[in-house]
Amino acid sequence: MKRLISLFSIATLLSFMLLSFSTSYVFAQQHPSKLRFHSVCGIKVVDLAQCNAIQIDANTSGVKPNASSPSGYNPADLQSAYKLPSASAGSGQTVAIVDAYDDPNAESDLAVYRSKFGLPACTTANGCFRKVNQTGGTSYPRANSGWAEEISLDLDMVSAICPNCHILLVEAKSSSFANLGTAVNTAISLGANTVSNSYGGSESSGESSYASYYNHPGHIITASSGDSGYGAQVPAAYNTVVAVGGTSLSKSSNSRGWTETAWNGAGSGCSAYISKPSWQKDTGCSRRTIADVSAVADPNTGVSVYDTYGNVGGWLVFGGTSVSSPIIASVYALAGNASSVNAASSLYSHTGNLFDVTSGSNGSCGGSYLCTAGTGYDGPTGLGTPNGTGAF
């Protein structure tokens, strides 16, 4: 019996190592500059979600993580790039962040970020910030340093885009879709207007069993399209959510002051199982197409984040569609229309209020719009990026 257990343990370890190697290899192929950054949530595991945060590594591109001062894009940059009324809008709105595991330093790290950039305090004491577990209680799950970085990223992006919004952090006890979905339901029950989900997992024949967690009419649910390039994932594939792709964002001398191209890591493509929503009219997918809209996600044009749990502590720089999902959820909060908007439908009828992203690719799909940005709708960037709040 002991020998059988030992053999099983060895087989399990070898399987885990093979999966780790395979995932790392694929990531390296899709991201030629892979050595410059890494996914904070490690390898993908079947039936579990992986957060979509990518952290810049030390001593690359002039970026100095764990530094005493930020070196990525800050709130003023993001508000400028997307022409947002962040200073005047968002009061009375609550943006929920759903992630797995606990970040013990979430509130204190958030305070540093907001203070650094002159944003109003958002604390438990003043009623702006609230942290709960997946059922709404205060017995938090075990801490996890990777997901803590994801949480810090999400909280800071809400702060950057909608500093007048309240923030609700709901921590699932694990990264299973059942637990994360339960956390989404809790966020809605506690009054969130918009809910951001910066995680995803591979599609499977059983994914429809989790779809109801992400179906909340009168509320906006956003989900990251993924960081592995061309290919669909859930929950972004559900037709009741706003699937958020990613771009590379750079300062420019043009009239906007910024330029964007499709980020090569952004997820996109055709769902294998989820039906196409009535408001999506592209012809290359008979089912749901990813994405709907996008925002900055390229770690090479990353954002500043403050996080201290499990790190040396200090300012970090992040990319991934974990950046773009909370940005878009917060733009919806600025618009304040969640109660009257049907998922991503308003985007498709207000394309003039979006910046069209027309260049860049995230993989090989025969050169079609599903992986190649172009005029109008495309997979990696959807209909484009925010140009104010008119499309939301």
Side-chain angles (χ1 to χ4, degrees), residues 137-310:
T138 55
S139 178
Y140 304 121
R142 66 179 177 87
N144 178 284
S145 60
W147 281 89
E149 291 180 332
E150 174 65 64
I151 288 170
S152 292
L153 165 59
D154 291 340
L155 298 179
D156 290 355
M157 289 306 96
V158 177
S159 299
I161 301 302
C162 192
N164 296 321
C165 285
H166 286 191
I167 304 176
L168 172 64
L169 170 61
V170 187
E171 298 180 331
K173 65 181 179 182
S174 79
S175 61
S176 74
F177 282 103
N179 286 328
L180 288 163
T182 297
V184 172
N185 286 349
T186 294
I188 297 299
S189 70
L190 293 178
N193 304 100
T194 67
V195 182
S196 175
N197 303 275
S198 291
Y199 56 83
S202 301
E203 282 203 292
S204 69
S205 59
E207 68 189 45
S208 295
S209 63
Y210 301 112
S212 63
Y213 290 121
Y214 301 90
N215 184 11
H216 293 279
H219 306 267
I220 290 294
I221 314 293
T222 67
S224 300
S225 70
D227 298 343
S228 298
Y230 180 58
Q233 70 170 30
V234 288
Y238 295 133
N239 54 26
T240 54
V241 311
V242 179
V244 185
T247 67
S248 300
L249 175 70
S250 302
K251 292 183 178 180
S252 172
S253 59
N254 62 17
S255 59
R256 177 187 170 188
W258 301 84
T259 59
E260 285 180 282
T261 60
W263 174 46
N264 64 2
S268 70
C270 305
S271 172
Y273 305 100
I274 306 301
S275 63
K276 185 178 288 295
S278 61
W279 30 264
Q280 198 169 52
K281 305 296 185 182
D282 65 296
T283 59
C285 292
S286 60
R287 297 186 177 89
R288 170 72 156 126
T289 313
I290 300 169
D292 296 309
V293 68
S294 55
V296 60
D298 186 350
N300 292 297
T301 62
V303 298
S304 295
V305 172
Y306 190 80
D307 179 82
T308 60
Y309 183 73

Side-chain angles (χ1 to χ4, degrees), residues 91-114:
S91 295
Q93 296 286 303
T94 297
V95 180
I97 295 300
V98 169
D99 282 313
Y101 304 108
D102 180 39
D103 177 1
N105 299 353
E107 185 169 359
S108 58
D109 285 348
L110 176 64
V112 173
Y113 181 90
R114 294 178 73 105

